[in-house]
Amino acid sequence: MTLFASLRYPSFAFLWAGQTVSRFGDHLYRVALAWWVLEKTGSAAAMGTVLIFTSVPMLLFVLIGGVAVDRFPRAQVMFVSDLLRAAVVGITALLAFTNTLELWHILVASIVFGFVAAFFQPAYTAIIPDIVASEQRPSANSLTALSAQLTGILGPALGATIVALGGTASAFALDALSFLIAALCILPMLRLQPPEQLNARAQANPIQEFRAGLRAVVTVPWLWLTILLLALMNLTQAGPYTVSLPFLVKESLGDDVQVLGWLYSAAAFGSVIAAIWLGRKTGFHRRGIVSYLGLVVSGLATLVLGLAVPLPMLLLANVLIGASLNVFNLIWYNTLQEMVPNDLLGRVSSIDYLGSFVLLPIGYGLAGWATDLFGAAEVLFIGGVLTTLLALIGLAQPAIRKLN
């Protein structure tokens, strides 16, 4: 099998192309948003608040999204999601162009983004087995990660350049255009006949449907253990990395948005390396041990960000963070798609999403508060230590070590 084998399936090829463009826009938006909030407020707490307003709606509605994804055509759910996001970012760009954009506008946009993500993310995970054969799913998942990270190498650096030359409004507008292109690429999939079980489940009791998905999680130790540990790791790692890193650049690296773009791009480069390596495989051996070792490495690399090291070491640490986290993510997605029945995959994916990210808004808030109080370097160092310890606790569990 080659890395590009899954592109032989036209539906996946269109989906992948559209989402590649959309993810490119996402990277532009992330840099523009971070710098806009930084310049507008100068507050890490404000940055954390924006991220909380994105995360909470996603967490509130993701279980509903998972049930919907297992009841209705997944391509339709994704199509509507992309159109909604294009409209929201387009309005944000218009406000920015007219110099009327305020923090509360960003917060409202973040709420809509979070709501839409609650439906889009489970749909994307669950639709892959519908359109790609099992032996090509490692290729499909790796290409998904590869497109995100290849655009991530160019996106942050280009986004920083666009912000420096044309302002944040230009980056917002390009992101809106990327969502429209992604929606157009999903159009051919709307004609596909959905799996037969969708028609039957559309008449079922949604509460019973959710309970069936929950049973599928709590009866499998490796599944609920990982979801629990990921919830804690998002508190200790994702919160500090997302909120504190821009302020580390501002405090220690000369207040240069280009440096922030380089660090994001370094993490994306590491993810590309992992995606290319894993995308050539047809299966994964000792997947529990390998994936959790990736989490250990990511924790240690996050710890390094909090040390007084030169920029080349920070870039290397970001490469390791990107590579090690992508090793875990790709093995995890393939494991879900292989070991969870397809008719439960949307619900299990939504429970995984909720459980893994339920503490993330708290992590954003704590990271913002702690960064303002103690400094970005201290927050990243402590977060890295705690993340490493959590990964080692997971690695010590027999259910994880025996996952093969």
PDB file of all heavy atoms in Angstrom, residues 195-218:
ATOM      1  N   PRO A 195     -25.573   4.823   3.803  1.00  0.00           N
ATOM      2  CA  PRO A 195     -25.698   3.441   4.263  1.00  0.00           C
ATOM      3  C   PRO A 195     -27.128   3.131   4.698  1.00  0.00           C
ATOM      4  O   PRO A 195     -27.834   3.982   5.254  1.00  0.00           O
ATOM      5  CB  PRO A 195     -24.723   3.389   5.455  1.00  0.00           C
ATOM      6  CG  PRO A 195     -23.730   4.465   5.173  1.00  0.00           C
ATOM      7  CD  PRO A 195     -24.508   5.550   4.494  1.00  0.00           C
ATOM      8  N   GLU A 196     -27.572   1.891   4.444  1.00  0.00           N
ATOM      9  CA  GLU A 196     -28.953   1.516   4.724  1.00  0.00           C
ATOM     10  C   GLU A 196     -29.322   1.709   6.185  1.00  0.00           C
ATOM     11  O   GLU A 196     -30.456   2.048   6.518  1.00  0.00           O
ATOM     12  CB  GLU A 196     -29.190   0.060   4.310  1.00  0.00           C
ATOM     13  CG  GLU A 196     -29.106  -0.169   2.800  1.00  0.00           C
ATOM     14  CD  GLU A 196     -29.396  -1.603   2.438  1.00  0.00           C
ATOM     15  OE1 GLU A 196     -29.721  -2.382   3.371  1.00  0.00           O
ATOM     16  OE2 GLU A 196     -29.311  -1.953   1.249  1.00  0.00           O
ATOM     17  N   GLN A 197     -28.350   1.481   7.098  1.00  0.00           N
ATOM     18  CA  GLN A 197     -28.681   1.573   8.516  1.00  0.00           C
ATOM     19  C   GLN A 197     -29.068   2.993   8.932  1.00  0.00           C
ATOM     20  O   GLN A 197     -29.733   3.194   9.934  1.00  0.00           O
ATOM     21  CB  GLN A 197     -27.525   1.080   9.391  1.00  0.00           C
ATOM     22  CG  GLN A 197     -26.238   1.860   9.252  1.00  0.00           C
ATOM     23  CD  GLN A 197     -25.295   1.223   8.262  1.00  0.00           C
ATOM     24  OE1 GLN A 197     -25.748   0.590   7.311  1.00  0.00           O
ATOM     25  NE2 GLN A 197     -23.992   1.369   8.482  1.00  0.00           N
ATOM     26  N   LEU A 198     -28.674   4.012   8.125  1.00  0.00           N
ATOM     27  CA  LEU A 198     -29.057   5.379   8.466  1.00  0.00           C
ATOM     28  C   LEU A 198     -30.567   5.555   8.387  1.00  0.00           C
ATOM     29  O   LEU A 198     -31.178   6.227   9.219  1.00  0.00           O
ATOM     30  CB  LEU A 198     -28.372   6.375   7.531  1.00  0.00           C
ATOM     31  CG  LEU A 198     -26.893   6.671   7.785  1.00  0.00           C
ATOM     32  CD1 LEU A 198     -26.401   7.699   6.785  1.00  0.00           C
ATOM     33  CD2 LEU A 198     -26.667   7.152   9.195  1.00  0.00           C
ATOM     34  N   ASN A 199     -31.178   4.962   7.368  1.00  0.00           N
ATOM     35  CA  ASN A 199     -32.624   5.095   7.215  1.00  0.00           C
ATOM     36  C   ASN A 199     -33.364   4.467   8.394  1.00  0.00           C
ATOM     37  O   ASN A 199     -34.357   5.003   8.879  1.00  0.00           O
ATOM     38  CB  ASN A 199     -33.070   4.445   5.905  1.00  0.00           C
ATOM     39  CG  ASN A 199     -32.486   5.152   4.693  1.00  0.00           C
ATOM     40  OD1 ASN A 199     -32.339   6.369   4.703  1.00  0.00           O
ATOM     41  ND2 ASN A 199     -32.136   4.398   3.664  1.00  0.00           N
ATOM     42  N   ALA A 200     -32.860   3.320   8.860  1.00  0.00           N
ATOM     43  CA  ALA A 200     -33.506   2.655   9.988  1.00  0.00           C
ATOM     44  C   ALA A 200     -33.299   3.458  11.269  1.00  0.00           C
ATOM     45  O   ALA A 200     -34.222   3.608  12.075  1.00  0.00           O
ATOM     46  CB  ALA A 200     -32.957   1.236  10.139  1.00  0.00           C
ATOM     47  N   ARG A 201     -32.104   3.993  11.471  1.00  0.00           N
ATOM     48  CA  ARG A 201     -31.820   4.704  12.716  1.00  0.00           C
ATOM     49  C   ARG A 201     -32.522   6.055  12.785  1.00  0.00           C
ATOM     50  O   ARG A 201     -32.719   6.602  13.854  1.00  0.00           O
ATOM     51  CB  ARG A 201     -30.306   4.894  12.879  1.00  0.00           C
ATOM     52  CG  ARG A 201     -29.573   3.607  13.206  1.00  0.00           C
ATOM     53  CD  ARG A 201     -28.231   3.918  13.840  1.00  0.00           C
ATOM     54  NE  ARG A 201     -27.404   4.719  12.984  1.00  0.00           N
ATOM     55  CZ  ARG A 201     -26.600   4.240  12.032  1.00  0.00           C
ATOM     56  NH1 ARG A 201     -26.549   2.948  11.812  1.00  0.00           N
ATOM     57  NH2 ARG A 201     -25.863   5.033  11.307  1.00  0.00           N
ATOM     58  N   ALA A 202     -32.896   6.606  11.622  1.00  0.00           N
ATOM     59  CA  ALA A 202     -33.589   7.895  11.630  1.00  0.00           C
ATOM     60  C   ALA A 202     -34.931   7.802  12.351  1.00  0.00           C
ATOM     61  O   ALA A 202     -35.463   8.813  12.813  1.00  0.00           O
ATOM     62  CB  ALA A 202     -33.797   8.389  10.194  1.00  0.00           C
ATOM     63  N   GLN A 203     -35.478   6.579  12.455  1.00  0.00           N
ATOM     64  CA  GLN A 203     -36.750   6.392  13.151  1.00  0.00           C
ATOM     65  C   GLN A 203     -36.562   5.967  14.601  1.00  0.00           C
ATOM     66  O   GLN A 203     -37.543   5.829  15.337  1.00  0.00           O
ATOM     67  CB  GLN A 203     -37.567   5.314  12.406  1.00  0.00           C
ATOM     68  CG  GLN A 203     -37.739   5.572  10.917  1.00  0.00           C
ATOM     69  CD  GLN A 203     -38.430   6.887  10.625  1.00  0.00           C
ATOM     70  OE1 GLN A 203     -39.364   7.271  11.334  1.00  0.00           O
ATOM     71  NE2 GLN A 203     -37.984   7.581   9.586  1.00  0.00           N
ATOM     72  N   ALA A 204     -35.342   5.721  15.032  1.00  0.00           N
ATOM     73  CA  ALA A 204     -35.091   5.203  16.370  1.00  0.00           C
ATOM     74  C   ALA A 204     -35.135   6.318  17.408  1.00  0.00           C
ATOM     75  O   ALA A 204     -35.038   7.512  17.092  1.00  0.00           O
ATOM     76  CB  ALA A 204     -33.737   4.501  16.410  1.00  0.00           C
ATOM     77  N   ASN A 205     -35.272   5.911  18.678  1.00  0.00           N
ATOM     78  CA  ASN A 205     -35.287   6.855  19.786  1.00  0.00           C
ATOM     79  C   ASN A 205     -33.880   7.411  19.985  1.00  0.00           C
ATOM     80  O   ASN A 205     -32.948   6.644  20.240  1.00  0.00           O
ATOM     81  CB  ASN A 205     -35.766   6.142  21.055  1.00  0.00           C
ATOM     82  CG  ASN A 205     -35.953   7.105  22.209  1.00  0.00           C
ATOM     83  OD1 ASN A 205     -35.099   7.943  22.475  1.00  0.00           O
ATOM     84  ND2 ASN A 205     -37.064   6.986  22.912  1.00  0.00           N
ATOM     85  N   PRO A 206     -33.680   8.732  19.899  1.00  0.00           N
ATOM     86  CA  PRO A 206     -32.321   9.280  20.015  1.00  0.00           C
ATOM     87  C   PRO A 206     -31.696   9.032  21.386  1.00  0.00           C
ATOM     88  O   PRO A 206     -30.476   8.901  21.483  1.00  0.00           O
ATOM     89  CB  PRO A 206     -32.507  10.769  19.740  1.00  0.00           C
ATOM     90  CG  PRO A 206     -33.957  11.033  19.940  1.00  0.00           C
ATOM     91  CD  PRO A 206     -34.670   9.780  19.592  1.00  0.00           C
ATOM     92  N   ILE A 207     -32.508   8.977  22.438  1.00  0.00           N
ATOM     93  CA  ILE A 207     -31.960   8.703  23.771  1.00  0.00           C
ATOM     94  C   ILE A 207     -31.389   7.290  23.819  1.00  0.00           C
ATOM     95  O   ILE A 207     -30.277   7.064  24.337  1.00  0.00           O
ATOM     96  CB  ILE A 207     -33.037   8.880  24.856  1.00  0.00           C
ATOM     97  CG1 ILE A 207     -33.585  10.312  24.821  1.00  0.00           C
ATOM     98  CG2 ILE A 207     -32.461   8.565  26.231  1.00  0.00           C
ATOM     99  CD1 ILE A 207     -32.569  11.370  25.088  1.00  0.00           C
ATOM    100  N   GLN A 208     -32.129   6.339  23.279  1.00  0.00           N
ATOM    101  CA  GLN A 208     -31.628   4.972  23.232  1.00  0.00           C
ATOM    102  C   GLN A 208     -30.391   4.857  22.353  1.00  0.00           C
ATOM    103  O   GLN A 208     -29.473   4.084  22.651  1.00  0.00           O
ATOM    104  CB  GLN A 208     -32.733   4.045  22.725  1.00  0.00           C
ATOM    105  CG  GLN A 208     -33.924   3.917  23.669  1.00  0.00           C
ATOM    106  CD  GLN A 208     -35.029   3.046  23.105  1.00  0.00           C
ATOM    107  OE1 GLN A 208     -34.997   2.673  21.936  1.00  0.00           O
ATOM    108  NE2 GLN A 208     -36.004   2.725  23.943  1.00  0.00           N
ATOM    109  N   GLU A 209     -30.377   5.634  21.271  1.00  0.00           N
ATOM    110  CA  GLU A 209     -29.204   5.648  20.398  1.00  0.00           C
ATOM    111  C   GLU A 209     -27.969   6.131  21.156  1.00  0.00           C
ATOM    112  O   GLU A 209     -26.879   5.554  21.036  1.00  0.00           O
ATOM    113  CB  GLU A 209     -29.462   6.556  19.193  1.00  0.00           C
ATOM    114  CG  GLU A 209     -30.507   6.050  18.240  1.00  0.00           C
ATOM    115  CD  GLU A 209     -29.967   4.949  17.363  1.00  0.00           C
ATOM    116  OE1 GLU A 209     -29.284   5.257  16.376  1.00  0.00           O
ATOM    117  OE2 GLU A 209     -30.214   3.774  17.679  1.00  0.00           O
ATOM    118  N   PHE A 210     -28.138   7.187  21.930  1.00  0.00           N
ATOM    119  CA  PHE A 210     -27.010   7.694  22.704  1.00  0.00           C
ATOM    120  C   PHE A 210     -26.546   6.677  23.743  1.00  0.00           C
ATOM    121  O   PHE A 210     -25.345   6.476  23.929  1.00  0.00           O
ATOM    122  CB  PHE A 210     -27.385   9.005  23.388  1.00  0.00           C
ATOM    123  CG  PHE A 210     -26.395   9.430  24.436  1.00  0.00           C
ATOM    124  CD1 PHE A 210     -25.136   9.867  24.078  1.00  0.00           C
ATOM    125  CD2 PHE A 210     -26.717   9.352  25.784  1.00  0.00           C
ATOM    126  CE1 PHE A 210     -24.210  10.235  25.039  1.00  0.00           C
ATOM    127  CE2 PHE A 210     -25.808   9.717  26.753  1.00  0.00           C
ATOM    128  CZ  PHE A 210     -24.547  10.162  26.389  1.00  0.00           C
ATOM    129  N   ARG A 211     -27.476   6.035  24.423  1.00  0.00           N
ATOM    130  CA  ARG A 211     -27.106   5.044  25.432  1.00  0.00           C
ATOM    131  C   ARG A 211     -26.330   3.890  24.825  1.00  0.00           C
ATOM    132  O   ARG A 211     -25.385   3.374  25.435  1.00  0.00           O
ATOM    133  CB  ARG A 211     -28.361   4.525  26.132  1.00  0.00           C
ATOM    134  CG  ARG A 211     -29.017   5.541  27.070  1.00  0.00           C
ATOM    135  CD  ARG A 211     -30.312   5.007  27.637  1.00  0.00           C
ATOM    136  NE  ARG A 211     -30.921   5.940  28.570  1.00  0.00           N
ATOM    137  CZ  ARG A 211     -32.127   5.802  29.079  1.00  0.00           C
ATOM    138  NH1 ARG A 211     -32.882   4.740  28.735  1.00  0.00           N
ATOM    139  NH2 ARG A 211     -32.616   6.701  29.927  1.00  0.00           N
ATOM    140  N   ALA A 212     -26.708   3.497  23.616  1.00  0.00           N
ATOM    141  CA  ALA A 212     -25.970   2.425  22.942  1.00  0.00           C
ATOM    142  C   ALA A 212     -24.524   2.849  22.679  1.00  0.00           C
ATOM    143  O   ALA A 212     -23.585   2.064  22.845  1.00  0.00           O
ATOM    144  CB  ALA A 212     -26.663   2.060  21.637  1.00  0.00           C
ATOM    145  N   GLY A 213     -24.328   4.091  22.268  1.00  0.00           N
ATOM    146  CA  GLY A 213     -22.972   4.591  22.058  1.00  0.00           C
ATOM    147  C   GLY A 213     -22.189   4.659  23.348  1.00  0.00           C
ATOM    148  O   GLY A 213     -21.000   4.322  23.386  1.00  0.00           O
ATOM    149  N   LEU A 214     -22.845   5.083  24.429  1.00  0.00           N
ATOM    150  CA  LEU A 214     -22.169   5.168  25.722  1.00  0.00           C
ATOM    151  C   LEU A 214     -21.748   3.786  26.216  1.00  0.00           C
ATOM    152  O   LEU A 214     -20.634   3.616  26.739  1.00  0.00           O
ATOM    153  CB  LEU A 214     -23.089   5.842  26.737  1.00  0.00           C
ATOM    154  CG  LEU A 214     -22.485   6.173  28.097  1.00  0.00           C
ATOM    155  CD1 LEU A 214     -21.309   7.137  27.948  1.00  0.00           C
ATOM    156  CD2 LEU A 214     -23.542   6.782  29.017  1.00  0.00           C
ATOM    157  N   ARG A 215     -22.619   2.787  26.032  1.00  0.00           N
ATOM    158  CA  ARG A 215     -22.258   1.414  26.428  1.00  0.00           C
ATOM    159  C   ARG A 215     -21.042   0.926  25.651  1.00  0.00           C
ATOM    160  O   ARG A 215     -20.192   0.206  26.193  1.00  0.00           O
ATOM    161  CB  ARG A 215     -23.446   0.472  26.201  1.00  0.00           C
ATOM    162  CG  ARG A 215     -24.536   0.570  27.262  1.00  0.00           C
ATOM    163  CD  ARG A 215     -25.469  -0.623  27.171  1.00  0.00           C
ATOM    164  NE  ARG A 215     -26.134  -0.684  25.875  1.00  0.00           N
ATOM    165  CZ  ARG A 215     -27.287  -0.097  25.590  1.00  0.00           C
ATOM    166  NH1 ARG A 215     -27.902   0.620  26.520  1.00  0.00           N
ATOM    167  NH2 ARG A 215     -27.825  -0.207  24.389  1.00  0.00           N
ATOM    168  N   ALA A 216     -20.972   1.317  24.383  1.00  0.00           N
ATOM    169  CA  ALA A 216     -19.838   0.888  23.556  1.00  0.00           C
ATOM    170  C   ALA A 216     -18.519   1.444  24.079  1.00  0.00           C
ATOM    171  O   ALA A 216     -17.453   0.866  23.833  1.00  0.00           O
ATOM    172  CB  ALA A 216     -20.050   1.317  22.108  1.00  0.00           C
ATOM    173  N   VAL A 217     -18.565   2.550  24.811  1.00  0.00           N
ATOM    174  CA  VAL A 217     -17.347   3.157  25.350  1.00  0.00           C
ATOM    175  C   VAL A 217     -16.993   2.579  26.717  1.00  0.00           C
ATOM    176  O   VAL A 217     -15.866   2.144  26.950  1.00  0.00           O
ATOM    177  CB  VAL A 217     -17.509   4.692  25.446  1.00  0.00           C
ATOM    178  CG1 VAL A 217     -16.315   5.311  26.177  1.00  0.00           C
ATOM    179  CG2 VAL A 217     -17.628   5.300  24.052  1.00  0.00           C
ATOM    180  N   VAL A 218     -17.951   2.570  27.639  1.00  0.00           N
ATOM    181  CA  VAL A 218     -17.648   2.222  29.033  1.00  0.00           C
ATOM    182  C   VAL A 218     -17.330   0.743  29.211  1.00  0.00           C
ATOM    183  O   VAL A 218     -16.750   0.346  30.233  1.00  0.00           O
ATOM    184  CB  VAL A 218     -18.798   2.632  29.975  1.00  0.00           C
ATOM    185  CG1 VAL A 218     -19.014   4.129  29.927  1.00  0.00           C
ATOM    186  CG2 VAL A 218     -20.084   1.879  29.637  1.00  0.00           C
TER     187      VAL A 218
END
